[in-house]
Amino acid sequence: MMQIREVASEVKCYHCDDLCRDEPILFDNKNFCCTGCKTIYELFQDDELKDLYEVRNKSNPHLDGKFDFLKSEKIANDLHSFLSDNHNVISLSLPDIHCSACVYILENLNDFNSGVIQTKVNFARRSAQVHYNPQQITLTDLAALLSSIGYPPAFHADTKEKPTKKRNHRLSIQIGVAAFCFGNIMLLSFPEYLGIKEGMSHSFDRFFNYLNLALVLPSVFYAGRGYFISAYKGFTQGFINIDVPIALGMLILFVRSSYEIISATGAGYMDSLAGLIFFLLIGKWFQSRTYENLSFDRDYKSYFPLAVLQIIDNEEVATPIQQLKKGDHILIRNQEIVPADAILLSDEANIDYSFVTGEERTTRVKKGAQIFAGGRQVGAKIQLSITKATSQSYLTSLWNNDTFKQEKTSLSLEDKISKYFTGIILLITIVAAVYWYFYNPTMIWLVTTSVLIVACPCALALSAPFTHGNTLRILGRNKFYLKSADVAERLTEVNTIVFDKTGTITTADNGEANQWIDNISEFDQRILKSMTANSTHPLSQKIHLLLGKVIEVELQNFQELVGKGIEADYQGKRYSLGSALWTLGHQAEEGQAFFTVDGHLISSFQMHNSYRSGLQSMMQGLSSQYDLQLLSGDNAAEEGTLKKMIPELSQMIFGQKPNDKLAHVKSIQQSDSKVLMLGDGLNDAGALSQSDVGIAVAEDVSSFSPACDAIIEGSIFTKLGDFLRYLRGARHIIIASFVISFLYNIVGLSFAVTGHLTPVFAAVLMPLSSITVVVFTTLAGNLWAEKLNL
Amino acid sequence: MSVIFVLILVSMVVAGGFLSLFIWAVKSGQFEDTMTPSMRVLFDDKKKKKQQNQNINEAETSSSPV
């Protein structure tokens, strides 16, 4: 049996004590998760920082030319946020930041190069703002310096489109203003609450009331203006949303209270009004929690490079990919991405389309062949001639589809109810008005305004935001991140779930080479390792990885035959690794590789997908409620296995291109189904966008994920069923809290129609109903989560 | 009792001052990043010590007789 080195799965970093994500870095017999941690360890051993840098920089020859495109002034100017003779400011995305050691290293960048004036890291966004002196260090050198200490800055085609995304501050300020007004009005209303009238002159009364009136103005017209605007918009579109009754209630409260104060007939309900606005804004804030380190709207531009090398008059010039035209000649180096559809000018290229198709397989193409945008060159550098601009290319044209321009909207539960709610309230108001017209006409004004005030659906408007806000938090804690509360609502309506295969129901490393014929000698292992070292085929690379520390030997006559395999001579014997037909002369299952010497079998390897554990039980759980389907970009090799493993799948379609996936989702939707799509790559982007809810599955949530409505971490993917159950329960919680707020409304209305609504009563009842609803939704949501073990 | 007018107005001005401080804090981006400063706070000491050492060294070299 071949001894395979155990790939370290749970190694803790010596410095930061985090689990190592990738292969740990071994230094001084200790494991480190990143270069940053290793560097900081070294720093603690030796304080000679500059010496250290000298040593480190020499050991990075691979950086040659990688950041040359930053020398182009046009490109560099777009990236900076401030430029001057001796002080430039640039925001750099540094995806490798992941622990506090990284922050330390980067903020002390000045120790490495005195040209850096200051660095400020934003940990959550994995970015850093660097101030530097262009006289002492160029941007290219800065990028190389960052790379050399382990933080290569990421430059993508969308980098300059959102230099520094300023968060919207308005809501925070509105809440501040509303809280200020609410608190002060409450204090000034105390004499009114407690009935302290005696001993106070009339002028105090009036002073307090007018102060209240002055304080409520910013609350209503600044903090609460969003509700008026939204109600007006809804109204002009002939649609009564939840903001219509809210705005109506606020307006009536304001008009009646102002009237009472100015006419000196009463104290008004300014406290209730300010409280209402404050609570509503808090609800809004609670619901609008965003995940700063996640991005839900990435497209191909986040994956494509910022610039490529264009060949103009035999000179290499860095050109932004947006400026590439048909006929331009470009140079693509190893591991670089082809930015636009092109024709190959070099003799041969080896293109990995895994990002486009989802299938991990490199394709060898010959001179003159068409190469599609999104492919990654593996091997020597190649020359290409562009045939289509980037935005018109095959893969990227997916984003020209209308589905990316439409916003997914759905009518929220409270909006559905508000139409009836508003109708009923108006009806009650009219009935009460008619009654009092005959009974005591002087009361009409008092009663009608009281009804509208008390019926203001503040509790109704709070139940959904607080339930959704709580849901977002609980799911976020479980590593399932929703883009907005709206998504939570849409998720309860889906009835069809479509899965992508590779990377979604299989783990991202996409299988392992399983070696099933034993007795492979150390001698053969060494030959095998040397052979696979030279091949770019995914299976070869996996085998190479499996062999670990085996020492390589020198081979003769190595060659790789497309579609067949690799072969080489060693000590006069011919070794081959490849398909059954080619090595042994007979057919075998797909995805197998055979290792032979002079035609005799030594060993065979099976590449198989490793499915996520717990997948079967999850599918079983889901199948009772949802129609389950599978869409894969891969070939049908796994169909049999899948059929046996997940009999619940109603459809399995293989060989799907990005556009096919989009079309398939569309066709399901046409039969009035609501589709939930789960995918992981750019090839699923169309389908994710077209579906009612698109969830991206990511192994590491801060790495690339296509545009979607939610991101789920791969490790908890199989809990999807529980999440959906939780969301359905949350909907019931909202409905229950609607009932509670209606009950309060009935009590309040019975006081209002009989003309007994006093300011104190309103001031108690309205916050009380809001608080009841908030407490109920939060408690119920948490209990429900506990029950489902979330 | 009429001092209450003055007191309330003064308290309003004070409260208004805090409100404007809050608005300034939000606008100047102090709530933008709430994570990194919590890490940064641990590093400051070493930096200062180094500077002190440097100062001492400088002082020593400059005061040393030639």
Side-chain angles (χ1 to χ4, degrees):
Chain A
M1 177 81 202
M2 185 176 91
Q3 279 298 306
I4 294 167
R5 189 175 65 114
E6 187 72 22
V7 177
S9 55
E10 289 236 329
V11 177
K12 280 194 171 174
C13 174
Y14 180 78
H15 175 74
C16 68
D17 216 32
D18 275 350
L19 284 180
C20 298
R21 296 175 303 171
D22 308 319
E23 189 85 353
I25 297 164
L26 203 66
F27 177 78
D28 210 4
N29 274 328
K30 292 169 181 76
N31 286 309
F32 295 94
C33 62
C34 63
T35 329
C37 287
K38 181 177 151 254
T39 308
I40 202 161
Y41 171 79
E42 289 173 287
L43 286 179
F44 287 144
Q45 311 301 310
D46 175 8
D47 223 35
E48 298 288 323
L49 294 168
K50 282 186 179 156
D51 289 5
L52 179 84
Y53 172 58
E54 296 289 325
V55 176
R56 300 176 58 77
N57 214 18
K58 276 180 207 145
S59 62
N60 275 292
H62 66 276
L63 287 171
D64 244 10
K66 194 179 163 195
F67 294 110
D68 277 354
F69 65 92
L70 295 172
K71 281 180 186 152
S72 155
E73 217 167 278
K74 204 164 46 176
I75 294 172
N77 285 357
D78 280 345
L79 293 170
H80 284 89
S81 52
F82 179 78
L83 277 169
S84 74
D85 283 347
N86 50 19
H87 194 133
N88 286 3
V89 183
I90 188 167
S91 266
L92 295 170
S93 159
L94 306 169
D96 286 328
I97 295 177
H98 77 283
C99 65
S100 53
C102 305
V103 178
Y104 178 80
I105 287 286
L106 288 167
E107 300 213 332
N108 286 318
L109 205 59
N110 175 264
D111 288 340
F112 293 110
N113 189 310
S114 55
V116 178
I117 298 162
Q118 192 202 11
T119 328
K120 205 171 170 204
V121 175
N122 186 323
F123 185 79
R125 285 192 199 150
R126 310 241 187 286
S127 70
Q129 194 180 45
V130 184
H131 297 246
Y132 69 96
N133 185 345
Q135 312 281 353
Q136 289 180 42
I137 182 169
T138 63
L139 183 57
T140 317
D141 291 340
L142 179 68
L145 166 65
L146 284 166
S147 273
S148 74
I149 60 167
Y151 304 96
F155 295 99
H156 292 297
D158 63 346
T159 306
K160 62 185 172 187
E161 281 176 22
K162 36 169 189 183
T164 36
K165 204 167 45 180
K166 277 260 167 197
R167 212 203 303 182
N168 198 356
H169 295 141
R170 183 182 282 168
L171 186 59
S172 311
I173 294 175
Q174 279 180 335
I175 290 176
V177 170
F180 168 78
C181 298
F182 176 47
N184 282 298
I185 291 174
M186 285 275 273
L187 281 177
L188 294 171
S189 303
F190 258 111
E192 189 72 30
Y193 293 160
L194 304 175
I196 313 170
K197 293 267 174 164
E198 315 87 59
M200 290 222 304
S201 69
H202 190 56
S203 55
F204 274 129
D205 237 12
R206 303 214 49 182
F207 175 63
F208 285 168
N209 285 342
Y210 273 102
L211 216 49
N212 275 348
L213 179 58
L215 278 169
V216 93
L217 289 175
S219 187
V220 172
F221 293 104
Y222 175 69
R225 68 175 174 173
Y227 293 94
F228 291 110
I229 294 168
S230 159
Y232 175 75
K233 270 188 193 155
F235 214 71
T236 47
Q237 284 161 15
F239 165 68
I240 295 179
N241 56 23
I242 187 74
D243 291 337
V244 171
I246 291 176
L248 189 67
M250 272 161 58
L251 196 69
I252 297 290
L253 261 172
F254 179 69
V255 171
R256 170 155 164 194
S257 306
S258 310
Y259 170 78
E260 281 187 8
I261 288 169
I262 290 165
S263 66
T265 48
Y269 301 84
M270 293 307 189
D271 49 344
S272 302
L273 177 55
L276 168 73
I277 293 171
F278 176 65
F279 283 124
L280 285 172
L281 289 175
I282 290 287
K284 219 181 208 179
W285 173 76
F286 196 69
Q287 188 183 26
S288 71
R289 184 218 169 98
T290 49
Y291 300 101
E292 254 193 87
N293 51 341
L294 301 183
S295 174
F296 292 99
D297 44 15
R298 283 184 247 201
D299 62 10
Y300 68 91
K301 287 185 190 141
S302 322
Y303 177 64
F304 277 28
L306 184 67
V308 286
L309 288 181
Q310 189 184 349
I311 302 166
I312 302 173
D313 304 329
N314 289 326
E315 260 184 78
E316 294 175 11
V317 185
T319 310
I321 62 164
Q322 287 88 346
Q323 288 172 18
L324 293 175
K325 296 180 303 291
K326 189 179 170 180
D328 285 352
H329 285 198
I330 56 166
L331 201 65
I332 299 292
R333 290 170 293 197
N334 185 21
Q335 295 297 328
E336 281 187 344
I337 289 165
V338 179
D341 290 357
I343 299 269
L344 184 63
L345 298 177
S346 308
D347 288 335
E348 206 178 44
N350 196 23
I351 306 288
D352 171 13
Y353 281 121
S354 60
F355 225 86
V356 188
T357 58
E359 194 171 10
E360 197 177 320
R361 174 174 298 178
T362 54
T363 327
R364 205 152 267 234
V365 287
K366 296 264 180 239
K367 189 173 183 169
Q370 176 84 41
I371 294 177
F372 298 107
R376 184 191 287 274
Q377 158 69 357
V378 185
K381 61 182 174 185
I382 48 170
Q383 257 198 58
L384 302 166
S385 169
I386 304 280
T387 53
K388 274 177 188 166
T390 299
S391 60
Q392 301 302 321
S393 291
Y394 172 68
L395 167 73
T396 51
S397 64
L398 186 68
W399 275 268
N400 299 335
N401 194 302
D402 284 339
T403 175
F404 287 97
K405 287 164 197 129
Q406 288 158 4
E407 224 163 269
K408 293 179 192 174
T409 49
S410 72
L411 208 51
S412 69
L413 206 55
E414 72 254 35
D415 279 343
K416 277 180 205 156
I417 292 183
S418 71
K419 194 164 56 181
Y420 304 102
F421 183 85
T422 314
I424 292 169
I425 294 306
L426 288 178
L427 194 73
I428 294 175
T429 316
I430 292 164
V431 169
V434 170
Y435 169 79
W436 285 102
Y437 177 76
F438 291 109
Y439 187 71
N440 183 359
T442 53
M443 292 284 281
I444 290 181
W445 158 251
L446 182 89
V447 169
T448 47
T449 49
S450 297
V451 168
L452 289 172
I453 287 167
V454 102
C456 178
C458 125
L460 191 68
L462 284 176
S463 49
F466 273 92
T467 314
H468 287 324
N470 205 24
T471 304
L472 254 57
R473 259 168 202 76
I474 287 166
L475 294 182
R477 210 169 57 206
N478 284 285
K479 296 168 183 170
F480 180 31
Y481 309 96
L482 302 186
K483 185 178 169 186
S484 68
D486 189 38
V487 177
E489 208 141 306
R490 286 207 305 264
L491 266 172
T492 59
E493 289 163 3
V494 296
N495 53 19
T496 308
I497 305 181
V498 181
F499 297 92
D500 166 57
K501 196 185 92 198
T502 318
T504 304
I505 62 172
T506 68
T507 48
D509 54 2
N510 192 28
E512 54 212 76
N514 240 16
Q515 165 264 358
W516 60 2
I517 293 182
D518 23 34
N519 299 329
I520 175 165
S521 66
E522 168 125 23
F523 178 78
D524 289 335
Q525 284 185 30
R526 289 170 68 170
I527 297 161
L528 192 59
K529 170 122 186 187
S530 325
M531 281 172 73
T532 50
N534 294 312
S535 167
T536 50
H537 193 279
L539 188 47
S540 305
Q541 288 177 346
K542 289 241 150 89
I543 294 170
H544 187 75
L545 215 71
L546 271 175
L547 288 165
K549 279 182 181 157
V550 176
I551 302 152
E552 289 177 31
V553 292
E554 203 165 313
L555 302 168
Q556 275 92 43
N557 304 328
F558 174 86
Q559 59 172 329
E560 189 162 3
L561 301 150
V562 183
K564 290 174 180 164
I566 45 178
E567 54 180 6
D569 287 342
Y570 186 64
Q571 294 182 350
K573 284 181 177 159
R574 189 94 186 129
Y575 290 88
S576 321
L577 176 71
S579 69
L581 199 63
W582 178 64
T583 51
L584 299 166
H586 62 78
Q587 280 287 355
E589 252 183 83
E590 222 179 295
Q592 276 191 55
F594 295 84
F595 183 39
T596 59
V597 53
D598 287 340
H600 300 289
L601 184 66
I602 303 172
S603 182
S604 77
F605 298 88
Q606 167 80 28
M607 176 102 139
H608 78 104
N609 282 305
S610 54
Y611 292 95
R612 296 186 190 279
S613 58
L615 186 69
Q616 279 159 297
S617 57
M618 179 192 86
M619 292 290 191
Q620 261 167 26
L622 287 173
S623 63
S624 61
Q625 295 233 338
Y626 303 96
D627 179 27
L628 307 175
Q629 304 190 2
L630 184 93
L631 277 182
S632 175
D634 274 351
N635 56 38
E638 293 272 326
E639 189 168 2
T641 325
L642 274 167
K643 253 192 192 132
K644 256 183 271 160
M645 205 168 78
I646 319 167
E648 291 86 7
L649 288 171
S650 70
Q651 269 201 68
M652 262 185 255
I653 309 173
F654 293 93
Q656 294 277 297
K657 296 259 156 14
N659 280 313
D660 302 334
K661 289 191 177 186
L662 197 161
H664 182 77
V665 169
K666 217 174 192 167
S667 73
I668 307 173
Q669 283 171 330
Q670 264 150 17
S671 55
D672 260 351
S673 288
K674 297 264 183 197
V675 181
L676 164 62
M677 169 82 200
L678 288 119
D680 71 311
L682 263 192
N683 58 323
D684 302 313
L688 288 174
S689 169
Q690 176 64 38
S691 60
D692 295 280
V693 183
I695 301 180
V697 183
E699 293 308 312
D700 173 13
V701 288
S702 52
S703 65
F704 179 85
S705 55
C708 57
D709 300 304
I711 298 175
I712 190 168
E713 207 170 278
S715 56
I716 50 105
F717 172 74
T718 46
K719 276 167 101 180
L720 183 71
D722 291 337
F723 293 143
L724 291 174
R725 230 179 116 198
Y726 180 77
L727 286 163
R728 285 198 303 271
R731 198 179 166 89
H732 291 137
I733 293 172
I734 296 178
I735 293 169
S737 64
F738 282 177
V739 173
I740 294 176
S741 83
F742 280 131
L743 290 178
Y744 269 108
N745 254 325
I746 290 168
V747 176
L749 280 173
S750 60
F751 276 83
V753 289
T754 50
H756 288 100
L757 186 75
T758 58
V760 184
F761 185 78
V764 172
L765 184 81
M766 292 176 69
L768 188 68
S769 67
S770 307
I771 290 166
T772 317
V773 163
V774 169
V775 170
F776 170 75
T777 54
T778 314
L779 280 183
N782 288 343
L783 280 177
W784 178 226
E786 217 165 280
K787 206 169 162 224
L788 289 177
N789 285 324
L790 291 179
Chain B
M1 276 301 265
S2 46
V3 74
I4 283 187
F5 288 112
V6 182
L7 284 176
I8 285 181
L9 285 176
V10 168
S11 78
M12 283 295 179
V13 170
V14 173
F18 279 107
L19 177 68
S20 47
L21 271 179
F22 170 72
I23 293 173
W24 167 77
V26 171
K27 283 202 168 158
S28 69
Q30 292 187 26
F31 298 95
E32 291 272 296
D33 181 9
T34 48
M35 215 164 171
T36 328
S38 69
M39 302 172 161
R40 202 174 283 142
V41 72
L42 301 168
F43 302 143
D44 282 347
D45 280 315
K46 198 190 164 223
K47 199 85 182 167
K48 269 181 208 145
K49 222 190 282 169
K50 246 180 76 181
Q51 242 159 24
Q52 265 169 15
N53 287 343
Q54 224 167 41
N55 289 345
I56 291 165
N57 287 341
E58 273 168 23
E60 274 172 2
T61 44
S62 59
S63 62
S64 59
V66 185

